[in-house]
Amino acid sequence: MFCPCRKIKSFIYIILFLSVLLAGCSAAVVPESAETPAETAKPVPSDTPVAPSPVPNKTRTPRPTDQPIGPDNLIDYPLLASDNLAEMVFLEARTLDPEGSELNFHVFDWSNDGSLLVICSYASNSGSSYQIYDLVEGSKLSEVEIDENACDRVHRSENWLKFSRDGKTFLGITRSVYDIVANSDSQIGIFNSTTGEQISGLEGLSKLPEEEFSLYAAAFSSQGTRLAILVYEHARPASTEDANVQGGAWIEPASLIELFDVESGDHWGSFHKQKFWSAVDLEYSTEGEYLVFGVGESVQAWSVDGVMTYEIGCIFPQITFSPTSEVAALTCGYSKDNLYHLLWDLKTGHSFQIAEAPGLYSQELRYSQDGRLLIGLSDTGEVSIWHAESGEYLFTLPDTYPTAVDAHFTGDGRLVAVLLEDGSMELYGVK
């Protein structure tokens, strides 16, 4: 241990004395005002209209609060519309977890109206679970314990965690999505969102042609009675009767769309099979007339009777249907050089590209509850809104969130919620 001698102590006292003397004799220079450095202007396409944006409050540091915005004071906020978005301001930050802890999750889903959120949460000390939150009430509705490895070995782009159209039920796995065995016990279940009780399991998986497969995406019919799942059938050694396939060595991998009854979990049959791993996403249309899915570099709309009606070019599509019409918003492309978004009307087959906005939007777009607005999150954290009928670019939030994972309309269309990767949420509205 170092112990200072008396000379060092005396030297320290002298230094302290001189410091006090100098402080008393010198005046500190204090600027009259401290200005925050100006923010670099975001690039905006010159050929699209840009609504005026409110000036960001650069001194604000959003922090989670214990008192969420509830149903009683939602009436204080007007419905978001194309003519009042420029008046939208930050309202509050919120944490989903009641104890304020960070949440670990990769996959999640919103209910159609954005009022409910289900996440597949995982933690080293407590395993995995589905946690369902009511964003308006600010409460956790239910929690479903599942296999400890089910939630941490998945990719955020997967779409197998899915709410029904009315948000009353959701589909999820109970064990690893990459390790599902067709003839084993139920590993894919349909659950009640409010209670967490399992309604049914997809027992009909045993009728699928391959014993092991991976679940990638799912979609409930508009009536909530049917369920379509997209599974990948792995490549496997050819049997004797398949000896003429691939030189008798391997059976090619394929993507399968399988149909199930929601209430019983019974297998209704196979809807589609495509060689190789080409199918990406699928959705039932709003009125239930079509099952729409991506195949290769296009999106196909098939009538529920099994007839392909429309096809449109779109690379690696993500599909979202309007809650009020047979119009789908398509996110197409796989890199910053070829990203674009289409609005596709299945009543007429007509499609057109929506206007560009600041940032690169590779994620799925979300509709407002009344079907009039579209919202998207860019790869660099900008949140922008479009007119859902014309595709006109309307507004971008004044704040950028690099750690955001998605954005949606919530609170009966009165609020915008930005979900961050730690499970916290930022809320915006018009005061």
Side-chain angles (χ1 to χ4, degrees):
M1 178 181 292
F2 173 75
C3 180
C5 64
R6 290 183 178 180
K7 290 184 179 181
I8 295 177
K9 287 185 178 180
S10 299
F11 178 74
I12 293 174
Y13 293 150
I14 292 172
I15 295 297
L16 291 173
F17 174 76
L18 290 175
S19 299
V20 173
L21 183 61
L22 289 172
C25 296
S26 61
V29 179
V30 180
E32 294 183 3
S33 63
E35 294 185 359
T36 305
E39 209 175 48
T40 303
K42 298 176 182 177
V44 179
S46 59
D47 59 344
T48 56
V50 181
S53 302
V55 178
N57 181 1
K58 297 182 177 63
T59 62
R60 173 181 62 78
T61 303
R63 298 187 181 279
T65 62
D66 295 326
Q67 299 298 323
I69 292 177
D72 293 337
N73 58 20
L74 273 179
I75 59 175
D76 298 334
Y77 301 95
L79 287 171
L80 297 175
S82 57
D83 59 355
N84 67 3
L85 295 177
E87 303 171 32
M88 190 160 47
V89 296
F90 172 81
L91 298 177
E92 68 168 23
R94 181 185 298 178
T95 178
L96 292 176
D97 187 85
E99 299 179 357
S101 302
E102 291 188 3
L103 297 172
N104 299 312
F105 65 98
H106 296 303
V107 294
F108 58 91
D109 193 36
W110 310 81
S111 60
N112 266 14
D113 61 1
S115 64
L116 301 180
L117 180 70
V118 56
I119 67 171
C120 195
S121 175
Y122 63 92
S124 57
N125 58 349
S126 59
S128 296
S129 66
Y130 293 119
Q131 299 185 23
I132 300 89
Y133 297 93
D134 186 323
L135 303 183
V136 177
E137 296 285 351
S139 61
K140 183 191 290 187
L141 286 180
S142 58
E143 185 170 2
V144 181
E145 300 291 338
I146 54 178
D147 184 81
E148 62 179 357
N149 295 322
C151 294
D152 61 344
R153 298 179 181 179
V154 295
H155 192 272
R156 187 163 287 158
S157 64
E158 295 169 7
N159 298 314
W160 47 261
L161 181 56
K162 200 74 171 180
F163 271 116
S164 59
R165 289 295 180 95
D166 57 11
K168 294 181 179 180
T169 60
F170 70 93
L171 175 129
I173 60 171
T174 57
R175 59 180 296 179
S176 173
V177 70
Y178 301 115
D179 192 27
I180 296 175
V181 181
N183 58 6
S184 183
D185 296 334
S186 175
Q187 302 140 85
I188 305 176
I190 300 172
F191 302 88
N192 182 295
S193 301
T194 303
T195 65
E197 179 184 2
Q198 183 167 333
I199 298 172
S200 62
L202 303 191
E203 306 295 346
L205 290 174
S206 60
K207 296 182 180 180
L208 296 186
E210 174 59 19
E211 290 187 357
E212 294 186 8
F213 56 87
S214 299
L215 173 64
Y216 188 82
F220 286 87
S221 66
S222 56
Q223 298 82 10
T225 56
R226 271 182 313 219
L227 175 72
I229 65 171
L230 171 61
V231 298
Y232 286 134
E233 183 183 51
H234 301 293
R236 64 188 190 278
S239 59
T240 303
E241 55 268 30
D242 297 319
N244 60 336
V245 179
Q246 292 290 302
W250 291 89
I251 298 296
E252 297 171 323
S255 54
L256 311 173
I257 295 177
E258 303 293 328
L259 304 179
F260 294 84
D261 179 77
V262 169
E263 185 175 355
S264 65
D266 289 342
H267 183 231
W268 279 9
S270 299
F271 187 85
H272 183 82
K273 180 175 181 178
Q274 182 80 12
K275 291 184 178 180
F276 302 108
W277 296 37
S278 56
V280 179
D281 194 13
L282 79 163
E283 285 288 348
Y284 277 99
S285 64
T286 303
E287 296 178 6
E289 186 176 348
Y290 299 99
L291 183 56
V292 180
F293 47 89
V295 177
E297 297 183 354
S298 68
V299 180
Q300 298 176 355
W302 291 65
S303 71
V304 292
D305 297 328
V307 178
M308 191 181 77
T309 307
Y310 297 111
E311 184 174 21
I312 187 172
C314 181
I315 303 171
F316 290 109
Q318 296 181 74
I319 306 162
T320 307
F321 268 92
S322 165
T324 60
S325 66
E326 292 282 85
V327 176
L330 306 178
T331 298
C332 310
Y334 56 85
S335 71
K336 64 180 182 180
D337 297 324
N338 61 9
L339 288 174
Y340 59 98
H341 302 274
L342 299 175
L343 292 178
W344 189 26
D345 189 343
L346 295 187
K347 289 289 188 182
T348 64
H350 176 66
S351 67
F352 62 93
Q353 191 167 329
I354 70 172
E356 293 183 357
L360 297 171
Y361 294 80
S362 63
Q363 301 189 69
E364 186 175 356
L365 300 179
R366 310 285 184 180
Y367 277 91
S368 60
Q369 189 174 357
D370 59 10
R372 296 182 179 180
L373 300 174
L374 275 170
I375 192 168
L377 170 70
S378 80
D379 295 348
T380 49
E382 293 94 355
V383 178
S384 293
I385 299 175
W386 293 262
H387 194 285
E389 294 182 2
S390 68
E392 175 190 1
Y393 162 68
L394 297 174
F395 182 72
T396 298
L397 289 186
D399 298 294
T400 299
Y401 292 100
T403 63
V405 296
D406 208 355
H408 206 317
F409 299 98
T410 189
D412 296 327
R414 289 176 164 82
L415 306 175
V416 164
V418 182
L419 177 63
L420 307 184
E421 63 183 12
D422 64 356
S424 60
M425 187 169 289
E426 312 288 313
L427 294 176
Y428 289 79
V430 175
K431 285 191 174 181

